[in-house]
Each structure stands twice: as C-alpha cells, then as structure tokens.
Amino acid sequence: MHEMSLAESILQIVEDAAAKQGFKRVSEVRLEIGALAGVEPEALAFCLDVVFRGSVAAGARVELERLPGQGFCLDCGETVPVMARYDACPKCGGYQVQATGGTEMRVKDLLVE
Amino acid sequence: MCSVCGCGQGEIEGHDHTHSHEHPHGEPHYHEHLGGLHYGLGPAHAHAPGLSQERMVRIEQDILGKNNTYAADNRRYFAEHGLFAVNLVSSPGSGKTTLLVKTIALLKDKLPVAVVEGDQQTSMDADRIRASGAAAVQVNTGKGCHLDAHMVGHALEHLNLANDGLLMIENVGNLVCPSAFDLGEAHKVVILSVTEGEDKPLKYPDMFHAADVMLLNKIDLLPYLAFDVDQCVEYAHRINPKLEVLKVSATTGEGMERWLAWLTEGVDVATAARQQNVNLLKKRIAELEVQLAAKG
C-alpha cells in the first residue's frame, strides 16, 4: 500500500541527513521493514528506484531487512509468532492476537561518500 | 510531486502555490528538493574499487515519523480548541458524503461543525457540504491515495474553526492507504455500505483494525440484498474485537440517533477537556501573579 509515499518519506529522511552531515552520495540504504507493516517489499523497491533518481541516493542499493512478526495472544497469555497481521493464533486458533513485533518501518543506516 | 503536503501533486482549495508560502510546521517544503528531478541523469557507479570513501551513517528513523509529527501538531491543535475530530474512511461509493450532509443537517443547530474533504480531484463534495450549511475545505490529493497529517494541517488554516465543535475529515475513498496515516484525529470511523461484500473486513483488514467505529450504511436496502449483517459484524470483530458497530441509513435516517449521540458525546468530552485545561492555566496564572506580587 502507498509505497510511493513511503519511498518519498525515505528520500526525505536521506536528504535531511545529507543536508545535516554534508555527504554528497549515498551508495546503500538499509531499511527495517516488519512482516506486519503492510509493506510490499518489491513495490517499495520499485518506487525507491524511481524516487531516488536525480537525488543524492541515485543508484543506491536498497537492503531491506524483514523483521519477523510477533503477537501476544490474549487467550493463551503468551507471545506467539505471527505470519500475517490478522492470522489466528497458531496455538489456540483464536483471533485475540495483538501485534507486538514486526510493524516497524525504519531507515536504519546509510553508506555514504 | 509531493504527497506529504499535497503541494504540486495535490492542492488545497484557495491555496495559491505560486508564491513561496511559509511553512506552518517550520519545515522546508519537500517538493522543493524534488523540483529538479531529472529522470535518467543520476550519476553512474563509476568509482574505482578500493578507492571508495564510504562511511556508514546511522539514521534509525521511522519512515512515517514526519507524518506522525504533523499528526501530533494537529492533535494538539484539536485539544487546545476543544475539537472532536473524526477521520471518515471507506471505499468509494459507501455514501460518506451523503452521510456527512445528513449529519450536518441534524447537528448544525446544536454545535459548530466543519469538514475537511479529501478527494483526488474536483471540489464537488466540498460544494455539497457547504450547501448543507457547514464550513468545508476541499483538499485535492492529485495522484495521492490518502490524506496525510500535513495536508490536514494546511486545511485547518483555511477553516477558521470555532472552539468546542466537531471536525469531520472525509478521507479519500480508499480502504487501504488511509489506514496507515494518522491525521491527529480522535477516532477513525470506517463506513461500509451493505451494497458491498460482507467480507470486506477480511479483505481490507488494516482499515478495520485502525478504526474504532464501523458504520454499516444503507441498511434501508437490506430487504433487497443478500448481505449477511451478522456475518459481516463477526468478520469485523475477528479483525478488531473492540470495534463498535452502528447500523445506519443516511437516506431514511434510521439509526442516525446513535451516531449523532456518539459524535455529540465526543464533542462534550473534548469541550470539557479544553475547559479543564483553561481552568488549570488560569489557576497557574493566578499562582504566578501571587509570586510576582510577593517579589515586587
């Protein structure tokens, strides 16, 4: 969803950092995207390629680290692995699972010159 | 193009973008960075191996962090003015605008009501809202698929909102993207009409998870449809066990009382919170004046 907006936000974060720290070129952008963040990695990579053109990050490699999904099942009272946001609890089959990990969308670090 | 403030890509009615306007949030304009976007002219990977002067820069920033900052600004604005802000989301054609017009007609004599209208194009909806007697500003997102907090912040400048009232933000008709963008609202309200499928909560779970209230609209049409209300509500609660469900028909007015009561209660709470804040500030001022007098 809305990967183009996210790509533009990522470029903005990169350009803000470039203005503050005075680097001229970014060769790699490392992102952390949780499995439950609702982001399609391929669509995001496609949008970033377009958005980065003509910027300090033109041609930069994009490393996308997927963080695993995790939830707390209210019925079981424990943390369980979650593949997709609204899946049933793998232990009890109930739907009272609140996402506790894997919703992150962060720019982690950059390799710059 | 800029989907953060809507300038260039989108536009706010009556908002002239040929001037370089001051940014209310103290941030430079995003699209200015992109003004010289030249496709295909970026530098190639030309540096020789071994001569690289690469270094790592830690960033650790939320990608939606900027939107969330604007949302926090909006939320503070709403609190300071005693405004109850709701973000109305749905697919296109669920009857959002008709519901708004009806809501305004029933509420406008009781409390101040204003509307921010989000659409990709045209000011038709804002025109409809104004005709119903409420202040409205249209935000056209252009290519954007959702409103963001920055656009809403701009829109607020154009509304001259009265204190202690209701602000309804009608988002772009889209059941996916608006779920991720906090506008500073008190609640997201998702509208699902019974002419759609009852399985929409499962198909578009993010939105039903992000919402606090679901309005099941067009219930006057139920006799003519195979829509299973109980099944729909069960699916919605599977995604969001706390989701409050209100069944309404904007056309016949059925069920509107509960919806209006929910809105009015929200305005009452926002008003009381503002009043309490004002009282606390007055008390603090009085205390400081006593301290000053003692020193003088």
Side-chain angles (χ1 to χ4, degrees):
Chain A
M1 59 181 179
H2 56 262
E3 275 76 4
M4 192 51 101
S5 295
L6 297 180
E8 288 176 339
S9 298
I10 291 166
L11 176 63
Q12 194 175 18
I13 288 170
V14 170
E15 290 192 324
D16 286 351
K20 272 191 204 130
Q21 311 208 20
F23 52 82
K24 296 274 177 284
R25 210 178 89 75
V26 179
S27 52
E28 187 173 307
V29 177
R30 288 210 292 166
L31 308 174
E32 287 180 329
I33 306 287
L36 310 183
V39 174
E40 207 50 62
E42 279 186 28
L44 183 60
F46 176 82
C47 294
L48 282 173
D49 186 46
V50 175
V51 167
F52 280 175
R53 285 180 207 176
S55 77
V56 286
R61 286 186 305 278
V62 176
E63 288 286 324
L64 209 145
E65 195 181 326
R66 291 295 268 177
L67 303 177
Q70 214 175 49
F72 186 82
C73 175
L74 293 174
D75 293 332
C76 298
E78 59 183 283
T79 298
V80 292
V82 183
M83 300 304 285
R85 193 161 200 161
Y86 309 103
D87 276 2
C89 169
K91 297 190 75 169
C92 72
Y95 288 97
Q96 303 277 332
V97 183
Q98 291 178 336
T100 53
T103 57
E104 303 83 351
M105 285 194 270
R106 295 167 70 77
V107 180
K108 197 175 177 203
D109 48 41
L110 311 172
L111 276 181
V112 304
E113 293 170 21
Chain B
M1 62 185 168
C2 165
S3 73
V4 174
C5 87
C7 308
Q9 168 169 321
E11 57 186 40
I12 292 173
E13 244 186 342
H15 193 55
D16 181 5
H17 276 285
T18 53
H19 64 278
S20 67
H21 57 278
E22 274 211 356
H23 206 281
H25 306 283
E27 290 288 341
H29 253 298
Y30 184 27
H31 56 123
E32 284 168 10
H33 301 299
L34 294 174
L37 208 153
H38 301 292
Y39 290 93
L41 293 181
H45 281 273
H47 59 271
L51 292 177
S52 169
Q53 295 182 326
E54 281 185 334
R55 63 189 166 100
M56 198 185 79
V57 177
R58 294 201 76 76
I59 301 286
E60 301 286 356
Q61 274 186 41
D62 265 344
I63 293 171
L64 288 175
K66 194 147 256 182
N67 182 72
N68 294 341
T69 307
Y70 291 135
D73 289 346
N74 293 345
R75 190 162 279 123
R76 197 176 313 116
Y77 180 92
F78 298 144
E80 283 168 1
H81 293 82
L83 291 164
F84 182 57
V86 291
N87 178 0
L88 302 171
V89 291
S90 80
S91 39
S94 66
K96 274 198 301 300
T97 311
T98 304
L99 183 86
L100 274 181
V101 168
K102 193 81 173 191
T103 303
I104 292 161
L106 294 166
L107 278 184
K108 68 176 178 186
D109 295 332
K110 296 176 189 141
L111 45 92
V113 185
V115 175
V116 175
E117 266 295 333
D119 278 304
Q120 277 201 309
Q121 299 283 354
T122 82
S123 64
M124 292 163 98
D125 277 1
D127 297 341
R128 266 177 82 187
I129 299 292
R130 280 191 211 107
S132 71
V137 64
Q138 179 84 39
V139 180
N140 285 342
T141 58
K143 293 180 190 66
C145 49
H146 56 268
L147 289 177
D148 62 45
H150 190 176
M151 296 174 185
V152 171
H154 271 314
L156 295 177
E157 295 168 358
H158 292 262
L159 271 175
N160 287 328
L161 292 162
N163 282 350
D164 304 337
L166 173 66
L167 177 69
M168 294 190 281
I169 304 166
E170 183 181 340
N171 218 312
V172 177
N174 177 345
L175 267 183
V176 185
C177 306
S179 69
F181 292 82
D182 182 7
L183 306 180
E185 74 275 355
H187 301 282
K188 282 191 177 73
V189 175
V190 62
I191 298 156
L192 180 65
S193 61
V194 298
T195 49
E196 305 171 58
E198 58 260 307
D199 51 1
K200 270 212 171 150
L202 297 184
K203 289 177 170 171
Y204 301 94
D206 289 316
M207 192 61 89
F208 291 85
H209 187 261
D212 297 313
V213 174
M214 175 169 93
L215 289 182
L216 203 53
N217 193 21
K218 306 189 188 179
I219 53 164
D220 54 304
L221 297 178
L222 279 172
Y224 313 103
L225 302 165
F227 189 93
D228 185 337
V229 172
D230 292 339
Q231 180 72 82
C232 178
V233 172
E234 195 269 315
Y235 285 152
H237 281 150
R238 198 184 284 187
I239 299 302
N240 181 355
K242 289 178 284 193
L243 189 71
E244 189 173 344
V245 180
L246 303 177
K247 295 165 203 163
V248 299
S249 163
T251 307
T252 64
E254 190 180 348
M256 288 292 282
E257 274 167 36
R258 269 187 71 197
W259 163 237
L260 297 179
W262 183 82
L263 288 174
T264 310
E265 193 192 325
V267 174
D268 288 346
V269 169
T271 304
R274 185 184 74 84
Q275 198 52 53
Q276 194 184 3
N277 199 26
V278 168
N279 291 342
L280 279 173
L281 286 172
K282 279 184 181 161
K283 196 177 152 207
R284 183 75 188 127
I285 289 169
E287 282 169 7
L288 289 170
E289 276 174 350
V290 168
Q291 281 182 26
L292 264 177
K295 276 190 179 173

